[in-house]
Amino acid sequence: MRKIDCDGNYLKKQSVKYLGWAFLCLLFFILIFSLTSYCILFRTRTIGVVEAVGFVVSLVGLGMFRYYQRKYYIYKSGRQGEKAVINTLGHSLSDDYYLINGVYLKGGGGDVDHIVLGPSGVYVLETKNWSGRIICNGDQWQRPGKKIKSNPSLQVKRNAQKVRKIIDASSAFRGFNIWVEGLLVFTNAHADLSISNPSVTIIRLTQLSNYVKNHENNCLTKEQVQKLVKQFQNM
């Protein structure tokens, strides 16, 4: 498989951003806590209003550090899931297939984790590195006793529709009915999935390669695949 990385790696940008904010908040906590402690130990030797405010402000900084740290780990986990997809497909698909990573759709389209282009068709992948009990009923997602706010099935359907519109709008594919399929891929082996009546195709990472190779929505020629690759590279 031939891999192409675009500039729209949303998860990487977000993880770097939150790591930076976490680091700044930790420095802020250490600075304020140290100054407040110094005043108590070596100057006033009592806890007055200023010292109490200092401790409160330092705890706010600590709380912000933990918040940004959690956000960092969430996006880091997402990046690990994307890397697992890249490694799996890279070792199992031939060079007739292209894997485009981190595709940013202009005009408010957002970021697509992966697009697979090859003889068997076009696949838009949404990757989730979630673990634990996950329940899906149609387009409703939840964990035990808790609704999942971000709806992955709606997300992959939106992305697939946007990719389909981009292809349909291209003069190079006028008159061709190229099927675009959205796939929701769970990469974490510890995900306990309970799926009923899904509105999109939901598969595990171990199933992904065979699904792409054997599920022939189209029989695309090498020329058509290369034109598709150029189209998404130039976005």
Side-chain angles (χ1 to χ4, degrees), residues 147-165:
K147 185 177 180 180
I148 296 176
K149 294 181 180 180
S150 59
N151 192 312
S153 55
L154 293 181
Q155 187 176 5
V156 71
K157 284 195 286 187
R158 283 195 301 265
N159 288 343
Q161 185 178 23
K162 290 168 185 175
V163 169
R164 187 180 297 112
K165 287 182 178 179

Side-chain angles (χ1 to χ4, degrees), residues 135-199:
I135 304 166
C136 169
N137 184 6
D139 278 332
Q140 302 298 317
W141 291 81
Q142 65 180 41
R143 294 182 182 275
K146 181 181 179 182
K147 185 177 180 180
I148 296 176
K149 294 181 180 180
S150 59
N151 192 312
S153 55
L154 293 181
Q155 187 176 5
V156 71
K157 284 195 286 187
R158 283 195 301 265
N159 288 343
Q161 185 178 23
K162 290 168 185 175
V163 169
R164 187 180 297 112
K165 287 182 178 179
I166 291 171
I167 296 174
D168 291 342
S170 173
S171 59
F173 298 99
R174 194 164 295 160
F176 290 94
N177 184 22
I178 297 179
W179 173 254
V180 178
E181 182 172 7
L183 301 179
L184 182 55
V185 184
F186 282 87
T187 60
N188 198 315
H190 300 290
D192 180 13
L193 302 177
S194 176
I195 309 296
S196 60
N197 303 315
S199 62

Side-chain angles (χ1 to χ4, degrees), residues 126-131 134 141 152 184-189 191 193 195 202-206:
E126 177 66 28
T127 302
K128 294 301 179 186
N129 193 25
W130 295 350
S131 61
I134 302 164
W141 291 81
L184 182 55
V185 184
F186 282 87
T187 60
N188 198 315
L193 302 177
I195 309 296
I202 302 172
I203 58 177
R204 291 185 179 272
L205 180 60
T206 53

Side-chain angles (χ1 to χ4, degrees), residues 4-210:
I4 300 171
D5 293 321
C6 296
D7 294 329
N9 196 324
Y10 175 77
L11 293 180
K12 180 179 180 181
K13 293 176 182 177
Q14 291 296 100
S15 61
V16 170
K17 179 182 77 173
Y18 285 116
L19 179 61
W21 278 112
F23 179 72
L24 290 175
C25 289
L26 181 61
L27 287 180
F28 177 80
F29 162 73
I30 293 174
L31 176 63
I32 300 300
F33 185 83
S34 298
L35 288 174
T36 304
S37 299
Y38 172 80
C39 290
I40 295 173
L41 293 174
F42 300 104
R43 300 191 65 178
T44 63
R45 298 185 182 276
T46 58
I47 300 179
V49 175
V50 174
E51 289 77 18
V53 170
F55 276 127
V56 171
V57 171
S58 68
L59 290 177
V60 171
L62 181 61
M64 294 301 295
F65 162 72
R66 294 302 302 272
Y67 169 78
Y68 288 124
Q69 185 186 44
R70 286 194 297 271
K71 299 287 281 187
Y72 163 71
Y73 283 128
I74 289 172
Y75 286 107
K76 180 183 177 183
S77 175
R79 287 184 65 193
Q80 290 172 340
E82 290 188 357
K83 289 178 180 178
V85 168
I86 294 171
N87 291 335
T88 297
L89 294 181
H91 288 93
S92 56
L93 295 183
S94 69
D95 284 345
D96 292 332
Y97 289 87
Y98 290 80
L99 176 63
I100 307 180
N101 305 303
V103 182
Y104 181 77
L105 304 179
K106 295 179 181 179
D111 184 87
V112 176
D113 293 343
H114 315 278
I115 299 177
V116 178
L117 308 169
S120 65
V122 179
Y123 303 89
V124 180
L125 274 55
E126 177 66 28
T127 302
K128 294 301 179 186
N129 193 25
W130 295 350
S131 61
R133 178 74 168 165
I134 302 164
I135 304 166
C136 169
N137 184 6
D139 278 332
Q140 302 298 317
W141 291 81
Q142 65 180 41
R143 294 182 182 275
K146 181 181 179 182
K147 185 177 180 180
I148 296 176
K149 294 181 180 180
S150 59
N151 192 312
S153 55
L154 293 181
Q155 187 176 5
V156 71
K157 284 195 286 187
R158 283 195 301 265
N159 288 343
Q161 185 178 23
K162 290 168 185 175
V163 169
R164 187 180 297 112
K165 287 182 178 179
I166 291 171
I167 296 174
D168 291 342
S170 173
S171 59
F173 298 99
R174 194 164 295 160
F176 290 94
N177 184 22
I178 297 179
W179 173 254
V180 178
E181 182 172 7
L183 301 179
L184 182 55
V185 184
F186 282 87
T187 60
N188 198 315
H190 300 290
D192 180 13
L193 302 177
S194 176
I195 309 296
S196 60
N197 303 315
S199 62
V200 296
T201 302
I202 302 172
I203 58 177
R204 291 185 179 272
L205 180 60
T206 53
Q207 303 169 304
L208 178 59
S209 298
N210 286 334

